[in-house]
Amino acid sequence: MKFELENSYEVKDKILQSKIVILPIGAVEAHGPHLPLSTDTILAERLSELLAEKAGAFVLPSLPYGQVWSLRNFPGSINISNDSLISFLVDIGRSLYDQGFRTWAMVNGHLGNQVALKEAARVLYDEIPDFKVFYFFYPGMNAVVKDIRETKSVHGTYFHACEIETSIMLYLAEEFVDMERALNDVPVIDEAADFTPTPWETFTNSAVLGDATLATKEKGRKIIETALEKMVDMLIGGKTDD
């Protein structure tokens, strides 16, 4: 159910019937030559729609901007601060609770947002203990990736415009992927990058972290089906209409 398409005469009763709401959160940033700037937002939107169908939840209009400090100097990237994102999310959460929602799932498509999402959830937890807030970022994907990855990971945490993220896009939004332009770009990321601020232009010109040419829709399907199952289980205890 798309929240923005409801009307104020009927929405209150529908909120009370569900009490679960989902917010897709993405970013505007470089994703190489084969993926659009809004890749993270597109992924968050498509995954949120699938989750809403299984959980009987509302989907809010997407938040398309995120904290992209590491990629802010690449053409097309738009960065907002963690502080701005935290404040914005806390305000949204308070308003959702006032409207009658009791469970809020933030479905994040951009790893750089995760710190702000977690902090916003903590603020809301302290203020409104009976408001359950989740900050999802492909739960369960690490185990799946170990099985499907054909190349060694460039970094222990990051995946970006590579075999993995491109596979997820092929599964959820193939129409926005240009595989003819996919790159095999394997940068060397110094260990110090994990312990000091390091703009990505210091180790990559493309913003691609790995071999995107190896991406497949099937790999993306396995990641998404796992993440979806885990999110549904956390939201409603695994009970669906299926």
Side-chain angles (χ1 to χ4, degrees):
M1 296 181 286
K2 290 191 175 182
F3 190 76
E4 71 266 32
L5 299 182
E6 299 293 332
N7 66 70
S8 63
Y9 279 65
E10 299 169 347
V11 72
K12 190 67 177 180
D13 287 340
K14 292 183 179 181
I15 290 173
L16 294 176
Q17 291 173 17
S18 172
K19 297 188 178 181
I20 303 174
V21 65
I22 300 166
L23 174 64
I25 303 177
V28 180
E29 64 172 4
H31 275 82
H34 65 299
L35 297 177
L37 296 171
S38 60
T39 289
D40 296 337
T41 306
I42 293 169
L43 292 176
E45 288 176 342
R46 297 289 171 91
L47 185 53
S48 293
E49 290 168 2
L50 294 174
L51 179 59
E53 289 177 5
K54 290 185 173 293
F58 279 105
V59 179
L60 295 170
S62 301
L63 178 56
Y65 301 106
Q67 186 276 108
V68 297
W69 184 92
S70 298
L71 284 152
R72 61 183 176 174
N73 294 323
F74 282 76
S77 295
I78 298 176
N79 177 51
I80 62 174
S81 69
N82 274 329
D83 288 343
S84 295
L85 187 53
I86 292 166
S87 179
F88 197 75
L89 291 172
V90 169
D91 284 347
I92 291 175
R94 290 170 178 148
S95 186
L96 292 173
Y97 184 84
D98 289 343
Q99 286 293 325
F101 288 109
R102 292 299 177 263
T103 301
W104 181 24
M106 295 182 280
V107 174
N108 182 25
H110 173 63
L111 181 61
N113 291 335
Q114 204 67 0
V115 170
L117 270 59
K118 184 175 183 177
E119 183 59 29
R122 285 175 168 177
V123 172
L124 290 168
Y125 180 87
D126 287 342
E127 289 187 9
I128 318 171
D130 64 330
F131 187 37
K132 188 66 175 179
V133 181
F134 293 92
Y135 37 93
F136 291 131
F137 184 74
Y138 304 111
M141 75 169 295
N142 290 341
V144 178
V145 168
K146 287 181 180 179
D147 291 335
I148 65 174
R149 183 187 286 279
E150 296 183 55
T151 54
K152 184 179 179 180
S153 177
V154 171
H155 187 272
T157 303
Y158 306 148
F159 66 94
H160 197 263
C162 56
E163 175 187 358
I164 302 307
E165 188 169 34
T166 305
S167 291
I168 298 173
M169 274 291 281
L170 284 172
Y171 180 65
L172 290 179
E174 185 177 13
E175 68 270 29
F176 296 112
V177 183
D178 185 354
M179 286 302 292
E180 292 184 358
R181 303 188 70 190
L183 300 177
N184 178 7
D185 193 355
V186 184
V188 176
I189 304 176
D190 191 274
E191 185 179 13
D194 289 335
F195 303 99
T196 188
T198 306
W200 279 23
E201 65 265 23
T202 62
F203 55 76
T204 177
N205 294 320
S206 68
V208 176
L209 302 186
D211 191 352
T213 69
L214 296 176
T216 68
K217 184 182 293 187
E218 178 61 16
K219 293 174 183 175
R221 181 189 66 79
K222 291 179 179 179
I223 293 169
I224 293 304
E225 287 185 350
T226 297
L228 191 59
E229 180 180 357
K230 288 185 176 294
M231 289 189 292
V232 170
D233 187 61
M234 283 184 265
L235 282 180
I236 60 173
K239 297 179 181 179
T240 70
D241 295 330
D242 295 342

